[in-house]
């Protein structure tokens, strides 16, 4: 289980480790976006810097702004000490790391604003 933090706007953030192909892990704050239906999204330059393998390029996804093209990488994420190999959506316009809805199929999300509790476990 990991504890998260609320932003000043009430957004849900969790610290996760992105694991490079050489095993180096970088801790990042990831925004949990329940409207995002893939596992993870990051900027293309970041995916490339991790040395993640490109699986597919120019795959179409529907976003809030309409259809867009993204690259798909095979990425590794460490969440609460457990490592996951997942498909990662990458695009040039992605400003922050996004965690998507599939995490909620494998983990229990607890959001309690009045007592400031946010956990994913």
């Amino acid at each position: 289980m990991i504890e998260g933090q609320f932003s000043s706007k009430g957004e849900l953030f969790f610290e996760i480790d992105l694991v490079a192909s050489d095993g180096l892990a970088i801790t990042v704050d990831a925004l949990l976006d329940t409207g995002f239906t893939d596992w993870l999204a990051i900027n293309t330059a970041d995916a490339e810097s991790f040395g993640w393998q490109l699986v597919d390029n120019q795959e179409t996804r529907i976003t809030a702004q309409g259809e867009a093209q993204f690259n798909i990488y095979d990425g590794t994420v460490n969440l609460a000490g457990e490592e996951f190999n997942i498909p990662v959506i990458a695009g040039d316009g992605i400003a922050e790391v996004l965690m998507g809805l599939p995490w909620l199929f494998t983990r229990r999300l607890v959001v309690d604003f009045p007592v400031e509790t946010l956990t994913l476990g």
Side-chain angles (χ1 to χ4, degrees):
M1 176 173 64
I2 60 174
E3 292 186 20
Q5 300 174 354
F6 299 106
S7 74
S8 61
K9 296 187 275 182
E11 298 163 313
L12 313 178
F13 281 93
F14 292 94
E15 277 191 357
I16 62 172
D17 293 330
L18 303 179
V19 183
S21 60
D22 65 2
L24 178 67
I26 304 294
T27 302
V28 298
D29 287 324
L31 171 64
L32 180 62
D33 181 352
T34 59
F36 172 51
T37 58
D38 287 290
W39 286 93
L40 194 78
I42 66 173
N43 190 279
T44 300
D46 294 333
E48 291 173 354
S49 73
F50 284 113
W52 290 345
Q53 181 178 357
L54 179 65
V55 175
D56 194 8
N57 60 358
Q58 301 305 309
E59 189 162 318
T60 302
R61 293 286 199 269
I62 305 294
T63 71
Q65 289 80 32
E67 285 189 3
Q69 301 292 315
F70 296 96
N71 294 327
I72 312 296
Y73 290 84
D74 183 24
T76 304
V77 174
N78 188 310
L79 183 74
E82 189 174 352
E83 212 165 82
F84 298 89
N85 291 324
I86 57 171
V88 176
I89 305 300
D92 294 337
I94 299 175
E96 57 193 339
V97 177
L98 299 176
M99 296 174 65
L101 187 62
W103 292 106
L104 301 183
F105 295 125
T106 64
R107 300 276 181 258
R108 181 172 183 241
L109 176 65
V110 176
V111 181
D112 190 334
F113 283 101
V115 296
E116 297 181 8
T117 297
L118 175 60
T119 60
L120 183 64

